[in-house]
Amino acid sequence: MTASEKNREFEFIEGLTAELSAKELIFPTSLNATMKIRKALSNPDISNDAVARIISAEPVLSAQVLRLSNSIIYNRTNKRISELRVATMALGFAAVRNVAISVGMKQLTEHKSTGQSSQRMEGLWTRSLRVAAMSYVVAKNLTRLSPDKALLAGLLHDVGKFYILNRARHYQDLFVSEKALWDLVDQWHGSIGAAILENWDISDDIRSAVMDCRSPDIPLAPKHTLTDVVATADFLDAHFVAKSIDVVNWKVIPPALQNLQLDQEKVEALMSETKGELGLILQAIA
């Protein structure tokens, strides 16, 4: 690496550090608007009519809420919903807040990304969707935890990586290789992710799941946590995509899978029984 390249890398890292220290993370305007909407929806006293008015200010969010309310997961009457007020009642506020996060994350992946940058973002987004859907299924079928919370935690589990890749667009000539870029992402995404979740007022249990899901030190415990769920979803997705699930040593599995009492037979049964459900969830949140 030349002296000029080292200076550019230092400039990029210095910028990330300054944004973290000042708690002034830089997001696209569209994402900021979506997150303000999500924050408003967190008011426990807000009325359904007010929620509908807030959502209507963001066309992309409005369209997604209406689409989700007409999905087979939430609408089993076959009566098409075309009003936001009715759609928010059908979904419930928790699901609407999750939709806001999903829309915001999607906006982040699409923000002025082109070429290789766009491919990186799209790949990361696709994996986040898969882990989110898997987290929902694991929580619903193996625990008493909220599937909606698990879905959100899965969707956010790599949020720090999204942020760094988005900022790295301004330093296209900095990284001499993909490895150099991903080494930096791996080094910084945890700290960035923690700052983002704090900025967005994400609940502590979801924050813990996002920050700890890849920790090798998840404690063995009889009480299931969101961290167990997301860590399991992340593990299973990686092996299914790599087609390496058949070579997993089930005698030496991560603590999260042990907490959920999973083995090869149970995993195969879970995937067989929930294949259709996984597909529907992916359609709903993509």
Side-chain angles (χ1 to χ4, degrees):
M1 183 181 292
T2 67
S4 175
E5 288 170 339
K6 287 182 179 178
N7 287 337
R8 293 274 289 167
E9 182 174 355
F10 178 77
E11 180 185 339
F12 180 63
I13 294 173
E14 190 177 48
L16 288 178
T17 305
E19 290 164 24
L20 274 176
S21 300
K23 295 185 178 181
E24 293 181 356
L25 300 172
I26 301 171
F27 295 107
T29 302
S30 56
L31 178 55
N32 281 329
T34 302
M35 298 317 299
K36 285 179 181 177
I37 289 172
R38 184 190 181 278
K39 193 167 186 177
L41 297 180
S42 297
N43 180 355
D45 299 321
I46 195 169
S47 69
N48 194 70
D49 286 341
V51 169
R53 285 196 300 272
I54 290 170
I55 294 171
S56 66
E58 172 51 69
V60 177
L61 180 57
S62 299
Q64 186 71 339
V65 166
L66 284 170
R67 188 171 79 86
L68 186 60
S69 69
N70 284 292
S71 69
I72 193 170
I73 296 175
Y74 289 96
N75 186 346
R76 301 183 183 279
T77 67
N78 291 324
K79 293 181 180 178
R80 182 154 190 84
I81 297 173
S82 57
E83 295 181 18
L84 278 175
R85 184 181 63 83
V86 179
T88 57
M89 289 178 65
L91 295 178
F93 289 179
V96 172
R97 286 194 296 270
N98 284 0
V99 174
I101 285 276
S102 175
V103 168
M105 294 281 286
K106 183 63 172 174
Q107 288 169 332
L108 186 58
T109 69
E110 295 173 342
H111 183 66
K112 298 180 181 177
S113 293
T114 57
Q116 198 168 17
S117 175
S118 176
Q119 292 174 11
R120 293 187 198 111
M121 284 290 206
E122 192 59 39
L124 199 57
W125 174 241
T126 300
R127 183 160 202 279
S128 293
L129 290 174
R130 293 199 310 265
V131 173
M134 184 75 74
S135 296
Y136 184 101
V137 163
V138 169
K140 181 180 176 182
N141 290 274
L142 301 179
T143 79
R144 295 183 179 180
L145 299 169
S146 164
D148 284 329
K149 270 195 169 185
L151 184 147
L152 181 55
L155 197 63
L156 290 172
H157 83 288
D158 272 338
V159 66
K161 294 182 179 181
F162 281 101
Y163 185 86
I164 296 171
L165 290 178
N166 185 60
R167 301 292 291 130
R169 292 182 301 102
H170 303 288
Y171 299 81
Q172 292 290 347
D173 59 341
L174 167 62
F175 304 102
V176 294
S177 67
E178 280 290 292
K179 183 180 184 305
L181 173 59
W182 286 107
D183 282 349
L184 187 140
V185 169
D186 288 340
Q187 179 182 350
W188 283 89
H189 80 92
S191 300
I192 292 286
I196 292 171
L197 298 178
E198 182 179 353
N199 182 276
W200 288 352
D201 292 325
I202 300 297
S203 64
D204 289 343
D205 53 350
I206 294 178
R207 196 181 308 179
S208 294
V210 172
M211 301 315 302
D212 299 335
C213 65
R214 293 197 177 109
S215 169
D217 301 319
I218 293 174
L220 292 172
K223 186 176 181 181
H224 302 147
T225 67
L226 280 179
T227 302
D228 292 329
V229 170
V230 179
T232 296
D234 185 58
F235 176 88
L236 293 178
D237 177 74
H239 280 286
F240 284 130
V241 170
K243 297 182 179 179
S244 58
I245 197 73
D246 291 337
V247 298
V248 170
N249 182 353
W250 292 96
K251 295 180 180 178
V252 191
I253 56 175
L257 277 76
Q258 295 179 51
N259 287 339
L260 295 177
Q261 298 181 325
L262 282 174
D263 55 28
Q264 185 172 7
E265 184 178 345
K266 289 179 181 178
V267 166
E268 290 175 354
L270 175 68
M271 298 313 299
S272 175
E273 293 167 6
T274 63
K275 186 176 181 180
E277 187 176 21
L278 269 170
L280 290 174
I281 296 165
L282 278 170
Q283 288 176 24
I285 63 177

